[in-house]
Amino acid sequence: QKENKNPLNERYLWHGTDINAAKSIVQTGFNRDYGSVMAYGKGVYFAKNSGYSCDPRYSKVDKDGYQYMFLCRVLLGESCRGDSKYKVPPCK
């Protein structure tokens, strides 16, 4: 396994959302309780590729035809395999 030289596991990732959630994120930041798609448990979801985040399932098209996405600098830390029933990650 390749050794990770950055223990913070920092990445630039995309997050697609609708206009109302975008306004809330700008004002108060991300909140893991407000996600609409929770395939791997409660949390904030990001994508490596912008094409995934601009899918209308995540980045809803508004009445004027616009979609909303954030390019975020994310500290991933350590990861684990998710599960839709998780409210918080399991202990190590």
Side-chain angles (χ1 to χ4, degrees):
Q1 183 178 12
K2 193 164 97 173
E3 183 180 329
N4 185 357
K5 301 215 187 291
N6 180 355
L8 299 176
N9 200 6
E10 183 178 46
R11 308 276 171 89
Y12 282 94
L13 301 170
W14 296 93
H15 179 81
T17 191
D18 62 45
I19 182 61
N20 294 322
K23 288 177 182 178
S24 177
I25 291 166
V26 167
Q27 294 213 317
T28 62
F30 288 99
N31 184 331
R32 68 190 187 116
D33 290 329
Y34 295 129
S36 61
V37 180
M38 299 289 182
Y40 299 102
K42 197 175 254 192
V44 179
Y45 288 70
F46 297 92
K48 292 179 188 178
N49 301 310
S50 61
Y52 191 85
S53 290
C54 76
D55 184 302
R57 289 178 295 172
Y58 312 114
S59 179
K60 308 268 189 284
V61 180
D62 74 7
K63 63 181 174 61
D64 297 316
Y66 292 101
Q67 291 177 276
Y68 301 87
M69 296 191 325
F70 291 90
L71 176 58
C72 305
R73 190 173 175 188
V74 181
L75 295 178
L76 299 173
E78 294 184 34
S79 62
C80 66
R81 187 156 197 57
D83 188 297
S84 61
K85 68 181 182 259
Y86 289 165
K87 291 188 179 184
V88 295
C91 295
K92 288 183 175 180

Coordinates of all heavy atoms in Angstrom, one line a residue:
Q1 N 0.8 -1.2 0.0 CA 0.0 0.0 0.0 C 0.9 1.2 0.0 O 1.9 1.3 0.7 CB -0.9 0.0 1.2 CG -1.9 1.1 1.2 CD -2.8 1.0 2.5 OE1 -2.6 0.2 3.4 NE2 -3.8 1.8 2.5
K2 N 0.5 2.2 -0.8 CA 1.3 3.5 -0.9 C 1.2 4.3 0.4 O 0.1 4.5 0.9 CB 0.8 4.3 -2.1 CG 1.7 5.4 -2.5 CD 1.3 5.9 -3.9 CE 0.4 7.1 -3.8 NZ 0.2 7.7 -5.1
E3 N 2.3 4.7 0.9 CA 2.3 5.5 2.1 C 1.8 7.0 1.8 O 2.2 7.6 0.9 CB 3.7 5.6 2.7 CG 3.8 6.3 4.0 CD 5.2 6.4 4.5 OE1 5.9 5.4 4.3 OE2 5.5 7.3 5.2
N4 N 0.8 7.4 2.6 CA 0.3 8.8 2.5 C 1.2 9.8 3.2 O 1.3 9.7 4.5 CB -1.1 8.9 3.0 CG -1.7 10.2 2.7 OD1 -1.1 11.1 2.2 ND2 -3.0 10.4 3.1
K5 N 1.9 10.7 2.5 CA 2.8 11.6 3.2 C 2.1 12.7 3.9 O 2.6 13.4 4.6 CB 3.8 12.1 2.2 CG 4.6 11.0 1.5 CD 6.0 11.5 1.2 CE 6.8 10.5 0.4 NZ 7.1 9.2 1.0
N6 N 0.8 12.9 3.5 CA 0.0 14.0 4.2 C -1.0 13.3 5.1 O -2.1 12.9 4.6 CB -0.7 14.8 3.1 CG -1.5 15.9 3.6 OD1 -1.7 16.1 4.8 ND2 -2.1 16.8 2.8
P7 N -0.8 13.3 6.4 CA -1.8 12.6 7.3 C -3.1 13.3 7.3 O -4.1 12.7 7.8 CB -1.1 12.7 8.7 CG -0.2 13.9 8.6 CD 0.3 13.9 7.1
L8 N -3.3 14.5 6.9 CA -4.6 15.2 6.9 C -5.4 14.8 5.7 O -6.6 14.9 5.7 CB -4.4 16.7 6.8 CG -3.6 17.4 8.0 CD1 -3.4 18.8 7.7 CD2 -4.4 17.1 9.3
N9 N -4.7 14.2 4.7 CA -5.4 13.7 3.5 C -6.3 14.8 2.8 O -7.5 14.7 2.7 CB -6.3 12.5 3.8 CG -6.7 11.7 2.6 OD1 -6.2 11.9 1.5 ND2 -7.5 10.7 2.8
E10 N -5.6 15.9 2.5 CA -6.3 17.1 2.0 C -6.5 17.0 0.5 O -5.6 16.6 -0.3 CB -5.4 18.3 2.2 CG -6.0 19.6 1.8 CD -5.0 20.8 2.2 OE1 -3.8 20.7 1.9 OE2 -5.5 21.8 2.7
R11 N -7.7 17.3 0.0 CA -8.1 17.3 -1.4 C -9.0 18.5 -1.8 O -9.6 19.1 -0.9 CB -9.0 16.0 -1.6 CG -8.4 14.7 -1.2 CD -7.4 14.1 -2.2 NE -6.7 13.0 -1.7 CZ -7.1 11.7 -1.7 NH1 -8.2 11.4 -2.3 NH2 -6.4 10.8 -1.2
Y12 N -9.0 18.7 -3.1 CA -10.0 19.7 -3.6 C -11.1 18.8 -4.2 O -10.8 18.0 -5.1 CB -9.3 20.6 -4.7 CG -8.5 21.7 -4.1 CD1 -7.1 21.5 -3.9 CD2 -9.1 22.9 -3.7 CE1 -6.4 22.6 -3.3 CE2 -8.4 23.9 -3.1 CZ -7.0 23.7 -3.0 OH -6.3 24.7 -2.4
L13 N -12.3 19.0 -3.7 CA -13.4 18.2 -4.2 C -14.7 19.1 -4.4 O -14.7 20.2 -4.0 CB -13.8 17.2 -3.0 CG -12.7 16.2 -2.7 CD1 -13.0 15.5 -1.4 CD2 -12.3 15.3 -3.8
W14 N -15.6 18.5 -5.2 CA -16.8 19.3 -5.6 C -18.0 18.9 -4.8 O -18.1 17.7 -4.3 CB -17.1 18.9 -7.1 CG -16.0 19.4 -8.0 CD1 -14.9 18.7 -8.4 CD2 -15.9 20.7 -8.6 NE1 -14.2 19.5 -9.2 CE2 -14.8 20.7 -9.3 CE3 -16.7 21.9 -8.5 CZ2 -14.4 21.9 -10.0 CZ3 -16.3 23.0 -9.2 CH2 -15.1 23.0 -10.0
H15 N -18.9 19.8 -4.6 CA -20.2 19.6 -3.9 C -21.3 20.3 -4.7 O -21.3 21.5 -4.8 CB -20.1 20.1 -2.5 CG -21.4 19.9 -1.7 ND1 -21.7 18.7 -1.1 CD2 -22.5 20.7 -1.5 CE1 -22.9 18.8 -0.5 NE2 -23.4 20.0 -0.7
G16 N -22.3 19.5 -5.2 CA -23.4 20.1 -5.9 C -24.6 20.2 -5.0 O -24.8 19.3 -4.2
T17 N -25.4 21.3 -5.2 CA -26.5 21.5 -4.3 C -27.5 22.4 -5.0 O -27.3 22.8 -6.2 CB -26.0 22.1 -3.0 OG1 -27.1 22.1 -2.1 CG2 -25.5 23.5 -3.2
D18 N -28.6 22.7 -4.3 CA -29.6 23.7 -4.9 C -29.3 25.1 -4.4 O -28.5 25.3 -3.5 CB -31.0 23.2 -4.6 CG -31.3 23.2 -3.1 OD1 -31.0 24.1 -2.4 OD2 -32.0 22.2 -2.7
I19 N -30.0 26.1 -4.9 CA -29.8 27.5 -4.5 C -30.0 27.7 -3.0 O -29.2 28.4 -2.4 CB -30.7 28.4 -5.4 CG1 -30.4 29.9 -5.1 CG2 -32.1 28.2 -5.2 CD1 -28.9 30.3 -5.3
N20 N -31.1 27.2 -2.5 CA -31.3 27.4 -1.0 C -30.2 26.8 -0.1 O -29.8 27.5 0.8 CB -32.7 26.9 -0.6 CG -33.8 27.6 -1.3 OD1 -33.7 28.8 -1.5 ND2 -34.8 26.9 -1.8
A21 N -29.8 25.6 -0.4 CA -28.7 25.0 0.3 C -27.4 25.8 0.1 O -26.7 25.9 1.1 CB -28.6 23.5 0.0
A22 N -27.2 26.2 -1.1 CA -26.0 27.0 -1.4 C -25.9 28.3 -0.5 O -24.9 28.6 0.1 CB -25.9 27.4 -2.9
K23 N -27.0 29.0 -0.4 CA -27.1 30.2 0.4 C -26.8 29.8 1.9 O -26.1 30.5 2.6 CB -28.5 30.8 0.3 CG -28.7 31.5 -1.0 CD -30.1 32.1 -1.1 CE -30.4 32.7 -2.5 NZ -31.7 33.2 -2.6
S24 N -27.4 28.7 2.4 CA -27.2 28.3 3.7 C -25.7 27.9 4.0 O -25.1 28.3 5.0 CB -28.1 27.1 4.1 OG -27.8 26.6 5.3
I25 N -25.1 27.2 3.0 CA -23.7 26.8 3.2 C -22.8 28.0 3.2 O -21.9 28.1 4.0 CB -23.3 25.9 2.0 CG1 -24.0 24.5 2.1 CG2 -21.8 25.7 1.9 CD1 -23.9 23.7 0.9
V26 N -23.1 29.0 2.4 CA -22.3 30.3 2.4 C -22.4 30.9 3.8 O -21.4 31.5 4.3 CB -22.7 31.2 1.3 CG1 -22.1 32.6 1.5 CG2 -22.3 30.6 -0.1
Q27 N -23.6 30.9 4.4 CA -23.8 31.6 5.7 C -23.3 30.8 6.9 O -22.7 31.4 7.8 CB -25.2 32.0 5.8 CG -25.7 33.0 4.8 CD -26.8 33.9 5.4 OE1 -27.7 33.4 6.1 NE2 -26.7 35.1 5.1
T28 N -23.5 29.5 6.9 CA -23.2 28.8 8.1 C -22.3 27.6 7.9 O -22.0 26.9 8.9 CB -24.6 28.3 8.7 OG1 -25.2 27.4 7.8 CG2 -25.5 29.4 9.1
G29 N -21.9 27.3 6.7 CA -21.0 26.2 6.4 C -21.8 24.9 6.2 O -23.1 24.9 6.1
F30 N -21.1 23.8 5.9 CA -21.8 22.5 5.6 C -22.3 21.9 6.9 O -21.8 22.1 8.0 CB -20.8 21.5 5.0 CG -20.4 21.9 3.6 CD1 -19.2 22.6 3.4 CD2 -21.2 21.5 2.6 CE1 -18.8 22.9 2.1 CE2 -20.8 21.9 1.3 CZ -19.7 22.5 1.0
N31 N -23.5 21.2 6.8 CA -24.1 20.6 7.9 C -24.5 19.2 7.5 O -25.4 19.0 6.6 CB -25.4 21.4 8.4 CG -26.0 20.8 9.6 OD1 -25.9 19.6 9.9 ND2 -26.6 21.7 10.4
R32 N -24.0 18.2 8.2 CA -24.2 16.8 7.7 C -25.6 16.4 8.0 O -26.1 15.3 7.5 CB -23.2 15.9 8.4 CG -23.4 15.7 9.9 CD -22.3 15.0 10.5 NE -22.6 14.7 11.9 CZ -22.7 13.5 12.4 NH1 -22.6 12.4 11.6 NH2 -23.0 13.3 13.7
D33 N -26.4 17.1 8.7 CA -27.8 16.7 9.0 C -28.8 17.1 7.8 O -29.9 16.7 7.8 CB -28.4 17.4 10.2 CG -27.7 16.8 11.5 OD1 -27.4 15.6 11.5 OD2 -27.6 17.5 12.5
Y34 N -28.3 17.9 6.9 CA -29.2 18.4 5.8 C -29.1 17.7 4.5 O -29.7 18.1 3.5 CB -29.0 19.9 5.6 CG -29.5 20.7 6.9 CD1 -28.6 21.6 7.4 CD2 -30.7 20.5 7.5 CE1 -29.0 22.3 8.5 CE2 -31.1 21.2 8.6 CZ -30.2 22.1 9.1 OH -30.6 22.8 10.2
G35 N -28.3 16.7 4.4 CA -28.1 16.0 3.1 C -29.4 15.3 2.6 O -30.2 14.9 3.4
S36 N -29.5 15.2 1.3 CA -30.7 14.5 0.8 C -30.4 13.1 0.3 O -31.3 12.3 0.2 CB -31.3 15.3 -0.3 OG -30.4 15.5 -1.4
V37 N -29.2 12.8 0.0 CA -28.7 11.5 -0.5 C -27.7 11.0 0.5 O -26.6 11.5 0.6 CB -28.1 11.6 -1.9 CG1 -27.7 10.2 -2.4 CG2 -29.1 12.3 -2.9
M38 N -28.1 9.9 1.2 CA -27.3 9.4 2.3 C -26.9 7.9 2.1 O -27.2 7.1 2.9 CB -27.9 9.6 3.6 CG -28.2 11.0 4.0 SD -26.7 11.9 4.4 CE -27.4 13.5 4.8
A39 N -26.3 7.7 1.0 CA -26.0 6.3 0.6 C -25.0 5.6 1.5 O -25.0 4.4 1.7 CB -25.5 6.2 -0.8
Y40 N -24.1 6.4 2.1 CA -23.0 5.8 3.0 C -23.1 6.4 4.4 O -22.2 6.4 5.1 CB -21.7 6.1 2.4 CG -21.5 5.5 1.0 CD1 -21.6 6.3 -0.1 CD2 -21.2 4.1 0.9 CE1 -21.4 5.7 -1.4 CE2 -21.1 3.6 -0.3 CZ -21.2 4.4 -1.5 OH -21.0 3.8 -2.7
G41 N -24.3 6.8 4.8 CA -24.5 7.3 6.2 C -24.6 8.8 6.1 O -24.5 9.5 5.1
K42 N -25.0 9.4 7.3 CA -25.2 10.8 7.5 C -23.9 11.5 7.3 O -22.9 11.2 7.9 CB -25.8 11.1 8.9 CG -26.4 12.4 9.0 CD -27.0 12.5 10.4 CE -28.5 12.4 10.2 NZ -29.2 12.8 11.4
G43 N -23.9 12.6 6.5 CA -22.7 13.3 6.2 C -22.8 14.3 5.1 O -23.8 14.4 4.4
V44 N -21.7 14.9 4.8 CA -21.6 15.8 3.6 C -20.8 15.1 2.6 O -19.7 14.6 2.8 CB -20.9 17.1 4.0 CG1 -20.8 18.1 2.8 CG2 -21.6 17.9 5.1
Y45 N -21.4 15.0 1.4 CA -20.8 14.3 0.3 C -20.1 15.2 -0.7 O -20.6 16.2 -1.1 CB -21.8 13.4 -0.4 CG -22.3 12.3 0.4 CD1 -23.1 12.5 1.6 CD2 -22.0 11.0 0.1 CE1 -23.5 11.4 2.3 CE2 -22.5 9.9 0.8 CZ -23.2 10.1 1.9 OH -23.7 9.1 2.7
F46 N -18.9 14.7 -1.2 CA -18.1 15.5 -2.1 C -17.7 14.5 -3.3 O -17.7 13.3 -3.1 CB -16.8 16.0 -1.5 CG -17.1 17.0 -0.4 CD1 -17.2 16.6 0.9 CD2 -17.3 18.4 -0.7 CE1 -17.5 17.6 1.9 CE2 -17.5 19.3 0.3 CZ -17.6 18.9 1.6
A47 N -17.3 15.0 -4.4 CA -16.9 14.2 -5.5 C -15.6 14.7 -6.1 O -15.3 15.9 -6.0 CB -18.0 14.3 -6.7
K48 N -14.8 13.8 -6.6 CA -13.5 14.1 -7.3 C -13.8 14.9 -8.6 O -13.0 15.8 -8.9 CB -12.7 12.9 -7.6 CG -12.2 12.1 -6.5 CD -11.5 10.8 -7.0 CE -11.1 9.9 -5.9 NZ -10.5 8.7 -6.4
N49 N -14.8 14.5 -9.3 CA -15.1 15.1 -10.6 C -16.3 16.0 -10.6 O -17.3 15.6 -10.1 CB -15.3 14.0 -11.6 CG -14.1 13.0 -11.7 OD1 -13.0 13.5 -11.9 ND2 -14.3 11.7 -11.6
S50 N -16.1 17.2 -11.2 CA -17.2 18.1 -11.2 C -18.4 17.6 -12.0 O -19.6 17.9 -11.6 CB -16.8 19.4 -11.9 OG -16.4 19.2 -13.2
G51 N -18.2 16.7 -12.9 CA -19.3 16.1 -13.7 C -20.3 15.3 -12.8 O -21.5 15.3 -13.1
Y52 N -19.8 14.7 -11.8 CA -20.6 14.0 -10.9 C -21.5 14.9 -10.0 O -22.7 14.8 -9.9 CB -19.8 13.1 -10.0 CG -20.6 12.1 -9.2 CD1 -20.9 10.9 -9.7 CD2 -21.0 12.4 -7.9 CE1 -21.6 10.0 -9.0 CE2 -21.7 11.5 -7.1 CZ -22.0 10.3 -7.7 OH -22.8 9.4 -7.0
S53 N -20.9 16.0 -9.5 CA -21.6 17.0 -8.7 C -22.6 17.8 -9.5 O -23.5 18.4 -8.9 CB -20.6 17.9 -8.0 OG -19.9 17.1 -7.0
C54 N -22.4 18.0 -10.8 CA -23.3 18.8 -11.5 C -24.5 18.0 -12.0 O -25.4 18.5 -12.7 CB -22.7 19.6 -12.6 SG -22.2 18.6 -14.1
D55 N -24.6 16.7 -11.7 CA -25.7 15.9 -12.0 C -27.0 16.5 -11.4 O -26.9 16.9 -10.2 CB -25.5 14.5 -11.5 CG -26.6 13.5 -11.9 OD1 -27.8 13.8 -11.5 OD2 -26.3 12.5 -12.5
P56 N -28.1 16.7 -12.1 CA -29.3 17.3 -11.5 C -29.8 16.7 -10.2 O -30.6 17.3 -9.5 CB -30.3 17.3 -12.6 CG -29.5 17.2 -13.9 CD -28.3 16.4 -13.5
R57 N -29.4 15.4 -9.9 CA -29.8 14.8 -8.7 C -29.2 15.6 -7.5 O -29.8 15.6 -6.4 CB -29.4 13.4 -8.6 CG -30.2 12.5 -9.5 CD -29.7 11.0 -9.4 NE -28.3 11.0 -10.0 CZ -27.5 10.0 -9.9 NH1 -27.9 8.8 -9.3 NH2 -26.3 10.0 -10.4
Y58 N -28.0 16.2 -7.7 CA -27.3 16.8 -6.6 C -27.3 18.3 -6.8 O -27.5 19.1 -5.8 CB -25.9 16.3 -6.6 CG -25.8 14.8 -6.6 CD1 -25.2 14.2 -7.7 CD2 -26.3 14.1 -5.6 CE1 -25.2 12.8 -7.7 CE2 -26.3 12.7 -5.6 CZ -25.7 12.1 -6.7 OH -25.7 10.7 -6.7
S59 N -27.1 18.8 -8.0 CA -27.1 20.2 -8.3 C -28.3 20.6 -9.1 O -28.4 20.5 -10.3 CB -25.8 20.6 -9.1 OG -25.8 21.9 -9.5
K60 N -29.4 20.8 -8.3 CA -30.7 21.1 -8.9 C -30.7 22.3 -9.8 O -30.2 23.3 -9.4 CB -31.8 21.2 -7.8 CG -31.8 20.1 -6.7 CD -32.7 19.0 -7.1 CE -32.9 18.0 -6.0 NZ -31.9 17.1 -5.8
V61 N -31.4 22.2 -10.9 CA -31.5 23.3 -11.9 C -32.6 24.3 -11.3 O -33.7 23.9 -11.0 CB -31.9 22.8 -13.3 CG1 -32.0 24.0 -14.2 CG2 -30.9 21.8 -13.8
D62 N -32.2 25.6 -11.2 CA -33.2 26.5 -10.7 C -34.1 27.0 -11.8 O -34.0 26.6 -13.0 CB -32.5 27.7 -9.9 CG -31.8 28.7 -10.8 OD1 -31.9 28.6 -12.1 OD2 -31.1 29.6 -10.3
K63 N -35.0 27.9 -11.5 CA -36.0 28.4 -12.5 C -35.4 29.1 -13.7 O -36.0 29.2 -14.7 CB -37.1 29.3 -11.8 CG -36.5 30.6 -11.2 CD -37.6 31.4 -10.5 CE -37.1 32.6 -9.8 NZ -36.4 33.5 -10.6
D64 N -34.2 29.6 -13.5 CA -33.5 30.3 -14.6 C -32.5 29.4 -15.3 O -31.7 29.9 -16.2 CB -32.7 31.6 -14.0 CG -33.7 32.6 -13.4 OD1 -34.7 32.9 -14.0 OD2 -33.4 33.1 -12.3
G65 N -32.4 28.2 -14.9 CA -31.6 27.2 -15.6 C -30.2 27.1 -15.0 O -29.3 26.4 -15.6
Y66 N -29.9 27.7 -13.9 CA -28.6 27.6 -13.2 C -28.5 26.4 -12.3 O -29.5 26.0 -11.7 CB -28.3 28.9 -12.5 CG -28.1 30.1 -13.3 CD1 -29.1 31.0 -13.5 CD2 -26.9 30.3 -14.0 CE1 -29.0 32.2 -14.3 CE2 -26.7 31.5 -14.8 CZ -27.8 32.4 -14.9 OH -27.6 33.5 -15.7
Q67 N -27.3 25.9 -12.1 CA -27.0 24.9 -11.1 C -25.9 25.5 -10.2 O -25.1 26.4 -10.6 CB -26.5 23.7 -11.8 CG -27.5 22.9 -12.6 CD -27.0 21.7 -13.3 OE1 -26.4 21.9 -14.4 NE2 -27.1 20.6 -12.7
Y68 N -25.8 24.9 -9.0 CA -24.9 25.5 -8.0 C -23.9 24.4 -7.5 O -24.4 23.3 -7.1 CB -25.7 26.1 -6.9 CG -26.5 27.2 -7.4 CD1 -27.8 26.9 -7.9 CD2 -26.1 28.5 -7.5 CE1 -28.6 27.9 -8.4 CE2 -26.9 29.5 -8.0 CZ -28.1 29.2 -8.5 OH -28.9 30.2 -9.0
M69 N -22.6 24.7 -7.5 CA -21.6 23.8 -7.0 C -20.6 24.6 -6.2 O -20.3 25.8 -6.5 CB -20.9 23.0 -8.1 CG -21.8 22.1 -8.9 SD -21.0 21.0 -10.0 CE -19.6 21.9 -10.6
F70 N -19.9 23.9 -5.3 CA -18.8 24.5 -4.6 C -17.5 23.6 -4.9 O -17.6 22.4 -5.0 CB -19.0 24.4 -3.1 CG -20.1 25.3 -2.5 CD1 -21.4 24.9 -2.4 CD2 -19.7 26.6 -2.1 CE1 -22.4 25.7 -2.0 CE2 -20.7 27.4 -1.7 CZ -22.0 27.0 -1.6
L71 N -16.4 24.3 -5.1 CA -15.1 23.6 -5.2 C -14.5 23.8 -3.8 O -14.3 25.0 -3.4 CB -14.2 24.2 -6.2 CG -12.8 23.6 -6.3 CD1 -12.8 22.1 -6.5 CD2 -12.0 24.3 -7.4
C72 N -14.3 22.7 -3.0 CA -14.0 22.8 -1.6 C -12.6 22.2 -1.4 O -12.2 21.2 -1.9 CB -15.0 22.1 -0.8 SG -16.7 22.6 -1.0
R73 N -11.9 22.8 -0.4 CA -10.6 22.3 0.1 C -11.0 21.5 1.3 O -11.5 22.0 2.3 CB -9.7 23.4 0.5 CG -8.3 23.0 0.8 CD -7.5 24.3 0.9 NE -6.2 24.0 1.4 CZ -5.3 24.9 1.7 NH1 -5.6 26.1 1.7 NH2 -4.1 24.5 2.1
V74 N -10.9 20.2 1.2 CA -11.5 19.2 2.2 C -10.3 18.5 2.9 O -9.5 17.9 2.3 CB -12.4 18.2 1.6 CG1 -13.0 17.3 2.6 CG2 -13.5 19.0 0.8
L75 N -10.4 18.4 4.2 CA -9.5 17.6 5.0 C -10.2 16.3 5.3 O -11.2 16.3 6.1 CB -9.1 18.3 6.3 CG -8.3 19.5 6.2 CD1 -8.0 20.1 7.6 CD2 -7.0 19.3 5.5
L76 N -9.8 15.2 4.7 CA -10.5 13.9 4.8 C -10.1 13.2 6.0 O -10.8 12.3 6.6 CB -10.3 13.1 3.6 CG -10.8 13.7 2.3 CD1 -10.3 12.8 1.1 CD2 -12.3 13.8 2.3
G77 N -8.8 13.4 6.5 CA -8.3 12.6 7.6 C -8.3 11.1 7.3 O -8.0 10.8 6.1
E78 N -8.7 10.3 8.2 CA -8.7 8.8 8.0 C -10.2 8.5 7.5 O -11.1 9.2 7.9 CB -8.4 8.1 9.2 CG -6.9 8.3 9.6 CD -6.6 7.4 10.8 OE1 -7.1 6.3 11.0 OE2 -5.8 7.9 11.6
S79 N -10.3 7.5 6.7 CA -11.6 7.1 6.2 C -12.0 5.7 6.6 O -11.1 4.9 7.1 CB -11.6 7.2 4.7 OG -10.7 6.3 4.1
C80 N -13.2 5.4 6.5 CA -13.7 4.0 6.7 C -14.8 3.7 5.7 O -15.3 4.7 5.0 CB -14.3 3.9 8.1 SG -15.8 4.8 8.4
R81 N -15.2 2.5 5.6 CA -16.3 2.2 4.6 C -17.6 2.6 5.2 O -17.9 2.3 6.4 CB -16.3 0.7 4.4 CG -17.3 0.2 3.3 CD -16.8 -1.1 2.8 NE -17.3 -1.6 1.6 CZ -17.2 -1.0 0.4 NH1 -16.8 0.2 0.2 NH2 -17.6 -1.6 -0.7
G82 N -18.4 3.3 4.4 CA -19.7 3.9 4.9 C -20.8 2.9 4.8 O -20.7 1.8 4.1
D83 N -21.9 3.2 5.5 CA -23.1 2.4 5.4 C -24.3 3.3 5.6 O -24.2 4.2 6.4 CB -23.1 1.3 6.5 CG -24.2 0.3 6.4 OD1 -25.4 0.7 6.5 OD2 -24.0 -0.9 6.2
S84 N -25.4 3.1 4.9 CA -26.5 4.0 4.9 C -27.1 4.2 6.3 O -27.8 5.2 6.6 CB -27.6 3.6 3.9 OG -28.1 2.3 4.3
K85 N -26.9 3.2 7.2 CA -27.5 3.3 8.6 C -26.6 4.1 9.5 O -27.1 4.4 10.6 CB -27.8 1.9 9.1 CG -26.5 1.1 9.4 CD -26.9 -0.3 10.0 CE -25.7 -1.0 10.3 NZ -25.3 -2.0 9.3
Y86 N -25.4 4.5 9.1 CA -24.5 5.2 10.0 C -25.0 6.7 10.3 O -25.3 7.4 9.3 CB -23.1 5.3 9.5 CG -22.3 4.0 9.5 CD1 -21.2 3.9 8.7 CD2 -22.7 2.9 10.2 CE1 -20.4 2.8 8.7 CE2 -22.0 1.8 10.2 CZ -20.8 1.7 9.4 OH -20.1 0.5 9.4
K87 N -25.0 7.0 11.5 CA -25.3 8.5 11.9 C -23.9 9.1 12.2 O -23.7 10.3 11.9 CB -26.2 8.6 13.1 CG -27.6 8.1 12.8 CD -28.5 8.4 13.9 CE -29.9 7.9 13.4 NZ -30.9 8.2 14.4
V88 N -23.0 8.3 12.7 CA -21.6 8.8 12.9 C -20.7 7.6 12.5 O -21.2 6.4 12.5 CB -21.3 9.2 14.3 CG1 -22.1 10.4 14.8 CG2 -21.6 8.0 15.3
P89 N -19.5 7.9 12.1 CA -18.6 6.8 11.7 C -18.3 5.8 12.9 O -18.4 6.2 14.0 CB -17.3 7.4 11.3 CG -17.6 8.9 11.1 CD -18.8 9.2 12.0
P90 N -18.1 4.6 12.6 CA -17.8 3.6 13.7 C -16.5 3.9 14.3 O -15.6 4.5 13.7 CB -17.8 2.2 13.0 CG -17.5 2.6 11.6 CD -18.0 3.9 11.3
C91 N -16.3 3.5 15.6 CA -15.0 3.7 16.2 C -14.0 2.8 15.6 O -14.3 1.7 15.0 CB -15.1 3.3 17.7 SG -16.2 4.4 18.6
K92 N -12.7 3.1 15.7 CA -11.7 2.3 15.1 C -11.5 1.1 16.0 O -11.6 1.0 17.1 CB -10.3 3.1 15.1 CG -10.3 4.1 14.1 CD -8.9 4.7 14.2 CE -8.6 5.7 13.2 NZ -7.3 6.3 13.3

